[in-house]
Amino acid sequence: MPANETAPPVKKKGRRARLIVLVLVLALFAGLGYGAYWGVDSVRASFPQTTGSLKVPGLTGTVEVKRDAHGIPQLYADNDDDLFRAQGFVHAQDRFWEMDVRRHMTSGRLSEMFGAGQVETDAFLRTLGWRQVAQAEYDKKLSDETKKNLQSYADGVNAYLKGKSGKDLSVEHAALKLTDEYQPEQWSPVDSVAWLKAMAWDLRGNMQDEIDRALMSSKLTQAQIDELYPPYPFDRNKPVVEGGKVTGGQYAPQASGGSTAMGAQTSTGTGTGTGTGTSTGTGSGLAGNATAQGAAVGLSTQLTSLAKTLDEIPAILGPNGSGIGSNSWVIAGKYTTTGKPLLANDPHLSPQLPSVWYQMGLHCRTASAQCQYDVSGYTFSGMPGVVIGHNNDIAWGMTNLGADVTDLYLEQVKPEGYVYDNKVIPFTTRDEVIKVAGGTSKKMTVRITNNGPLVSDRSSELGTVGSRAPVASSAPDRGNGYAVALRWTALEPGKSMDAVFKLNKAKNFEEFRKAAADFEVPSQNLIYADGKGQSGNIGYQAPGRIPVRGAGDGRMPAPGWDSKYAWKTGKDGSVEYIPQSELPFESNPSRGYVVTANQAVIESGTGAGKYPYLLTTDWGYGARSQRINDLIEAKIKDSGKISTDDMRAMQMDNSSEIAALLTPMLAKIQVDDPDVRSAQKLLEGWNYTQENDSAAAAYFNAVWRNILKLSFGDKMPKELRIEGSCMNVRADSSGPADELAETVRECGTRGPDSAQPDGGDRWFEVVRRLVKDEKSPWWHSPAARNKPAAATRDELFARAMVDARWELTAKLGKDQSTWSWGRLHQLTLKNQTIGTEGPGFMQWLLNRGPWNLGGGEATVNATGWNASSGYGVTWVPSMRMVVNLNDLDKSRWINLTGASGHAYNSHYTDQTTMWAKGELLDWPFGKDAVDKATVDTLTLTP
């Protein structure tokens, strides 16, 4: 049996009950019960001091904290130690509740704060072992300078914590203290390093696709699955880099011809993408061989349970579905109105309150060997340094590269260990104790194979799956059952924290690339700009620790008992990764700009001009990136020059690629119902932009959602359909039933962030290929009450138009003149801890909104929504910035929320309305500009 906790995981009702108790306490604090004076006193007690002076133990000199009208701080110090000590202190002033919850999450200790309802989440995170990996990084991998900076930062946090508890820290901490006498512990450097594990988890690549493809195999053929995962359209959407090659162990940008490399791998599992259901890939079964195919029969239950577990893990950066992404681009000086480069970035992450980002400047009064930093940008509360931004010499931005750095392995388990090449190898084990607030501690054992920890051990359902899962005779004997292991690059200690400080200090492209080489996990697209010389320089680097696989291509779970499917290793036994020197980069490309928006980085393969390594087959499909390319090229062609305002306007572009494709088809469909015809007329003359006041955008997106449901959603296995979405299926199969068939009721089980079809740009590509075949089986939909069966594309589209009309009538009213996309497409900012569950007054207390937004899925203004679950905003441009390398003080920036994490502070959400309108704030950098913008100055003294 799998080594589970000593007691079954407690369900969410335990967590909800505890949160309700906390909210009742918070309601009293807010003056709802025992008087306004106590409420005001408790709420304001934790607000930071922003003027005058404060003593901070350990400082060697004074540090000035200059805040502008939005509470954004700029720090000035005389040495690195004081600078990072002050950064830790100021982060804790504004965001300690966020920091405290995050460190409990990354170490699998949420139960210590929130009780038994978090045991299952903690158990899964303990199984991954983020904290152990972070500790190993700190002990063995990071440079002495990085460790010194981390310790200084931790000392600053602890200086803030000294003598404080309860309401002195936050209103949330006050509630915890009243219910449990909760006392925050000291901050440690490893708490900061562990943050990077959470960042890597939310940007982990194609793990969800790997699970979904395997689950689809229970209901769809391999040819059908290939149609739902078409290859990247290189002929239509440009990759990040073009024309480079690997030669002599180095990547050479803008070269011609192909190459081969020692240990190179090529893509073999992408399918032909013809829309006919054929495939050239190896995706059949588990990983393409008879042994694997036999084991695949018993895999569905394991992966279903694992998918449910993943839905429960708090997403610090983004949802689990395919929406997560980002935009960044940089324009060479020859094409800008300033004569120097302009660089834009807007990472698309989960909407959170407070925002995951914290704007800050870190400045040395005088540059020296003891004081090396003059940098400003977006930081993570709980971690020193600047993650995205600029220093006095260079600017940089990031988007998720999406490299395939995770693999799931089905393991043959026996009582004494796991099978590998016909031998039984003992598990490596680790015992864990989960402390539970107000309850009994839970013990658990983590079992680890050579392919990683057994993530399936964390589900009581998986404990018996091996005894009941049917397995074909070609697979190994099941013994006591199969288990699922996770192989992930982030579970090996690395040096990404070193990269942060190196980026902050880099002065040129060479130093930028050296810093990028240490940015191992998560793998990010890094863009670059500087203002040196007559017109400055631009560039790009793809960093990351990306494995070289043996057999298989990472598209499906692999058989862990067969060494052919293991990641390749060198003579010393260490994993073989794509050499950093052979990862793609560009320097001043002749086209004059670089765009990264989660599209393919480069085309892999064995032919001429192909990159010899497989980065992934699960790229974003390039809808956003190509739109940005088109906007840039059109502007250059029109005026030859691009301004800072042009960059901002591009960030707010709401054009819908799928609307441009489908609207002309929808307009031609014969509609008899006058109400539906009236809605159809909204699409006449529409320019496909999704402004928040657009009735046409509201109706089109409702039609799109219903097209997806009828053609794909109703054909998905229940494990991928949204939880609570029920339908009648034929009793003799899992397919949709018509009115005459004997039926059973089947309900979906997937969470709202990861249910399918989600409507992202993969589905754009699927539908783009299928609309050419008007009689494709995907357009078949059985008859339903008062609705005829659909057998062709136009018949299904007509059904979707009818369903959309009545859906919007129910949601927005019958009067179309009152319809707008923003009324459907709303953003509510939720406190990511207590504010995510509970009764209405909890939302009133901690949450803010809604805001009616424009934009949409796979648009440049990427306010994403999951078509399976509704129209609400699930991911957003979490910040926006435009850096002007000609005059850094004329750069612009905005955050999703505000600097403060305190619910009633004036800077809690003071940037959100401006963000929603697409406005940007001035971003002062030089001392004179900062002084001019300063409204509050706090002096930290020894």
Side-chain angles (χ1 to χ4, degrees):
M1 295 287 289
N4 277 324
E5 301 84 0
T6 55
V10 180
K11 299 301 181 184
K12 268 195 168 184
K13 65 179 182 179
R15 176 190 182 193
R16 187 179 297 272
R18 177 172 170 76
L19 289 175
I20 289 173
V21 172
L22 294 176
V23 170
L24 289 172
V25 175
L26 291 172
L28 299 181
F29 278 173
L32 300 179
Y34 282 86
Y37 176 78
W38 175 243
V40 170
D41 175 68
S42 299
V43 168
R44 291 183 176 175
S46 59
F47 286 8
Q49 179 179 335
T50 59
T51 60
S53 64
L54 281 173
K55 289 187 176 182
V56 176
L59 288 178
T60 61
T62 61
V63 179
E64 292 174 296
V65 181
K66 300 183 178 185
R67 293 178 184 259
D68 67 10
H70 294 278
I72 300 170
Q74 304 283 339
L75 278 53
Y76 288 85
D78 292 319
N79 58 71
D80 294 346
D81 179 75
D82 283 355
L83 192 60
F84 291 116
R85 190 178 300 258
Q87 185 182 20
F89 186 90
V90 173
H91 272 166
Q93 277 189 308
D94 282 328
R95 298 283 191 93
F96 185 68
W97 170 254
E98 174 195 6
M99 293 164 61
D100 200 16
V101 171
R102 183 174 296 137
R103 66 164 163 180
H104 279 79
M105 195 275 277
T106 57
S107 58
R109 296 170 52 209
L110 287 170
S111 301
E112 294 179 20
M113 298 183 79
F114 300 113
Q118 290 298 302
V119 167
E120 189 169 350
T121 295
D122 283 345
F124 185 80
L125 295 172
R126 297 280 187 101
T127 298
L128 295 181
W130 290 355
R131 180 73 183 193
Q132 284 80 9
V133 179
Q135 186 69 58
E137 288 185 358
Y138 185 79
D139 292 341
K140 302 175 182 178
K141 289 288 187 177
L142 299 180
S143 70
D144 290 340
E145 181 179 344
T146 294
K147 289 193 218 180
K148 183 175 180 292
N149 293 342
L150 287 164
Q151 186 62 60
S152 297
Y153 180 91
D155 290 343
V157 176
N158 293 329
Y160 172 77
L161 292 177
K162 187 176 182 180
K164 293 185 177 70
S165 64
K167 69 178 183 178
D168 296 325
L169 294 172
S170 73
V171 70
E172 296 95 335
H173 279 107
L176 280 182
K177 188 166 180 64
L178 285 183
T179 56
D180 278 328
E181 291 298 312
Y182 174 80
Q183 181 65 39
E185 64 194 36
Q186 294 282 287
W187 193 266
S188 79
V190 181
D191 290 332
S192 297
V193 178
W195 200 151
L196 290 171
K197 298 303 157 189
M199 182 182 176
W201 175 252
D202 285 340
L203 302 174
R204 61 191 178 271
N206 77 335
M207 182 175 170
Q208 194 71 54
D209 289 322
E210 193 173 334
I211 292 171
D212 289 355
R213 278 190 288 261
L215 291 174
M216 285 179 185
S217 64
S218 69
K219 192 170 182 179
L220 304 176
T221 67
Q222 187 60 42
Q224 290 173 316
I225 294 171
D226 286 342
E227 286 186 308
L228 300 186
Y229 287 88
Y232 185 87
F234 285 98
D235 59 335
R236 190 174 69 254
N237 294 341
K238 294 179 181 178
V240 177
V241 302
E242 300 175 84
K245 71 174 184 177
V246 174
T247 179
Q250 300 287 325
Y251 179 82
Q254 297 180 331
S256 60
S259 64
T260 58
M262 190 68 66
Q265 60 181 145
T266 58
S267 172
T268 57
T270 59
T272 63
T274 62
T276 62
T278 60
S279 173
T280 61
T282 62
S284 171
L286 196 67
N289 71 341
T291 300
Q293 290 170 14
V297 183
L299 185 61
S300 178
T301 306
Q302 287 95 326
L303 292 180
T304 300
S305 185
L306 177 57
K308 290 179 182 178
T309 301
L310 295 179
D311 280 337
E312 297 296 318
I313 304 303
I316 282 188
L317 294 180
N320 292 324
S322 66
I324 197 166
S326 300
N327 299 324
S328 73
W329 65 94
V330 59
I331 313 291
K334 66 180 178 180
Y335 290 133
T336 69
T337 57
T338 67
K340 295 290 178 71
L342 294 173
L343 184 149
N345 198 186
D346 54 288
H348 306 156
L349 305 172
S350 176
Q352 302 194 31
L353 183 59
S355 166
V356 71
W357 299 110
Y358 184 99
Q359 295 149 291
M360 179 179 272
L362 302 172
H363 306 280
C364 289
R365 293 190 182 100
T366 303
S368 68
Q370 289 72 41
C371 204
Q372 307 172 74
Y373 295 87
D374 189 12
V375 61
S376 183
Y378 294 86
T379 71
F380 289 142
S381 301
M383 200 178 91
V386 170
V387 179
I388 295 174
H390 70 81
N391 59 30
N392 198 44
D393 295 290
I394 76 165
W396 68 95
M398 297 184 189
T399 65
N400 194 27
L401 192 150
D404 188 355
V405 295
T406 60
D407 278 333
L408 294 172
Y409 285 90
L410 189 62
E411 302 284 357
Q412 184 191 9
V413 175
K414 293 182 178 293
E416 62 273 24
Y418 60 98
V419 175
Y420 191 71
D421 283 348
N422 299 314
K423 297 178 181 179
V424 178
I425 300 175
F427 292 107
T428 300
T429 60
R430 185 177 71 246
D431 293 329
E432 299 272 2
V433 177
I434 299 174
K435 296 179 181 179
V436 181
T440 304
S441 297
K442 308 295 183 183
K443 296 181 179 180
M444 59 175 280
T445 298
V446 178
R447 300 190 297 175
I448 305 169
T449 73
N450 59 355
N451 289 315
L454 294 184
V455 290
S456 56
D457 275 0
R458 300 285 69 86
S459 168
S460 57
E461 178 186 6
L462 297 182
T464 57
V465 69
S467 63
R468 55 187 170 87
V471 180
S473 58
S474 59
D477 178 73
R478 67 166 65 91
N480 282 346
Y482 290 110
V484 179
L486 171 64
R487 191 77 187 262
W488 180 31
T489 56
L491 298 185
E492 295 292 329
K495 299 184 292 183
S496 293
M497 198 70 237
D498 282 348
V500 172
F501 295 112
K502 288 182 179 180
L503 278 174
N504 286 192
K505 295 187 296 182
K507 295 183 180 300
N508 52 50
F509 190 56
E510 181 181 0
E511 291 181 9
F512 165 81
R513 291 191 66 209
K514 288 180 179 178
D518 286 338
F519 210 106
E520 298 168 330
V521 178
S523 183
Q524 297 290 285
N525 294 305
L526 292 174
I527 61 169
Y528 168 92
D530 69 44
K532 301 178 187 302
Q534 184 175 354
S535 58
N537 301 283
I538 66 172
Y540 164 83
Q541 177 67 58
R545 184 191 288 166
I546 304 169
V548 177
R549 289 173 174 81
D553 57 12
R555 287 170 55 83
M556 287 280 196
W561 52 80
D562 189 342
S563 62
K564 292 195 302 290
Y565 291 86
W567 289 1
K568 289 189 175 182
T569 57
K571 294 180 179 179
D572 62 354
S574 61
V575 174
E576 181 181 339
Y577 299 108
I578 299 174
Q580 290 289 315
S581 62
E582 298 183 16
L583 287 171
F585 76 95
E586 284 191 316
S587 177
N588 293 323
S590 58
R591 64 183 176 277
Y593 60 89
V594 176
V595 174
T596 81
N598 317 111
Q599 80 270 39
V601 170
I602 193 168
E603 188 171 6
S604 299
T606 56
K610 302 292 183 65
Y611 185 65
Y613 295 102
L614 176 63
L615 300 176
T616 186
T617 61
D618 290 308
W619 305 109
Y621 280 79
R624 280 182 290 111
S625 62
Q626 192 55 44
R627 176 63 176 171
I628 296 168
N629 274 292
D630 292 345
L631 289 170
I632 292 171
E633 291 176 0
K635 190 67 179 177
I636 292 173
K637 183 177 180 180
D638 178 49
S639 67
K641 300 293 181 181
I642 294 172
S643 69
T644 301
D645 284 342
D646 292 330
M647 301 284 274
R648 184 202 63 80
M650 291 177 192
Q651 288 179 325
M652 294 303 295
D653 182 79
N654 289 326
S655 179
S656 169
E657 179 187 88
I658 194 65
L661 175 68
L662 297 184
T663 298
M665 301 179 191
L666 297 173
K668 295 178 182 179
I669 292 175
Q670 181 65 39
V671 175
D672 297 326
D673 187 312
D675 289 319
V676 179
R677 174 62 186 144
S678 177
Q680 184 185 36
K681 286 184 177 181
L682 292 173
L683 302 179
E684 295 178 2
W686 180 44
N687 64 355
Y688 319 130
T689 60
Q690 301 168 103
E691 304 299 334
N692 66 359
D693 61 353
S694 171
Y699 183 59
F700 172 79
N701 281 313
V703 174
W704 169 237
R705 179 174 185 248
N706 281 279
I707 286 173
L708 291 169
K709 178 181 182 297
L710 293 169
S711 54
F712 308 107
D714 290 348
K715 300 177 180 68
M716 292 285 173
K718 65 180 185 297
E719 293 84 3
L720 271 70
R721 299 203 313 270
I722 190 167
E723 185 177 5
S725 172
C726 301
M727 59 185 291
N728 294 327
V729 300
R730 292 190 299 270
D732 59 348
S733 79
S734 58
D738 59 37
E739 292 180 322
L740 300 178
E742 182 180 352
T743 63
V744 295
R745 196 71 168 161
E746 181 186 83
C747 296
T749 63
R750 184 60 70 83
D753 282 347
S754 56
Q756 293 294 335
D758 62 20
D761 69 352
R762 173 166 65 87
W763 294 99
F764 290 13
E765 191 65 21
V766 169
V767 171
R768 178 186 295 277
R769 291 164 181 268
L770 288 175
V771 290
K772 301 171 186 177
D773 181 0
E774 297 184 28
K775 297 183 179 180
S776 167
W778 290 110
W779 305 130
H780 294 181
S781 184
R785 183 175 299 176
N786 300 322
K787 296 176 183 178
T792 67
R793 180 196 69 194
D794 286 354
E795 288 173 356
L796 186 137
F797 282 11
R799 276 271 301 271
M801 292 172 71
V802 172
D803 291 351
R805 171 49 161 142
W806 300 119
E807 181 185 1
L808 293 198
T809 297
K811 291 180 182 296
L812 302 180
K814 188 173 182 179
D815 184 359
Q816 293 174 191
S817 68
T818 69
W819 288 6
S820 71
W821 174 224
R823 286 182 61 199
L824 282 177
H825 192 53
Q826 293 186 324
L827 168 67
T828 297
L829 291 172
K830 296 184 177 182
N831 180 291
Q832 287 299 294
T833 52
I834 296 175
T836 57
E837 297 181 32
F841 63 83
M842 172 189 293
Q843 299 177 21
W844 176 86
L845 190 69
L846 293 176
N847 301 343
R848 299 292 182 269
W851 283 266
N852 295 349
L853 299 186
E857 194 72 23
T859 62
V860 182
N861 182 23
T863 56
W865 54 287
N866 187 308
S868 288
S869 58
Y871 304 96
V873 176
T874 59
W875 53 287
V876 294
S878 56
M879 61 81 157
R880 298 187 185 99
M881 74 176 195
V882 178
V883 183
N884 182 336
L885 275 299
N886 182 59
D887 185 345
L888 292 171
D889 289 329
K890 292 183 179 178
S891 301
R892 311 294 302 282
W893 62 352
I894 199 77
N895 203 353
L896 173 64
T897 60
S900 181
H902 300 288
Y904 290 93
N905 188 279
S906 60
H907 302 307
Y908 192 46
T909 56
D910 63 333
Q911 296 184 52
T912 307
T913 298
M914 291 180 289
W915 171 92
K917 294 178 180 178
E919 298 174 0
L920 298 174
L921 298 173
D922 291 337
W923 181 357
F925 178 71
K927 188 176 185 304
D928 290 344
V930 169
D931 286 345
K932 185 177 180 180
T934 297
V935 297
D936 286 334
T937 299
L938 174 68
T939 302
L940 305 179
T941 64

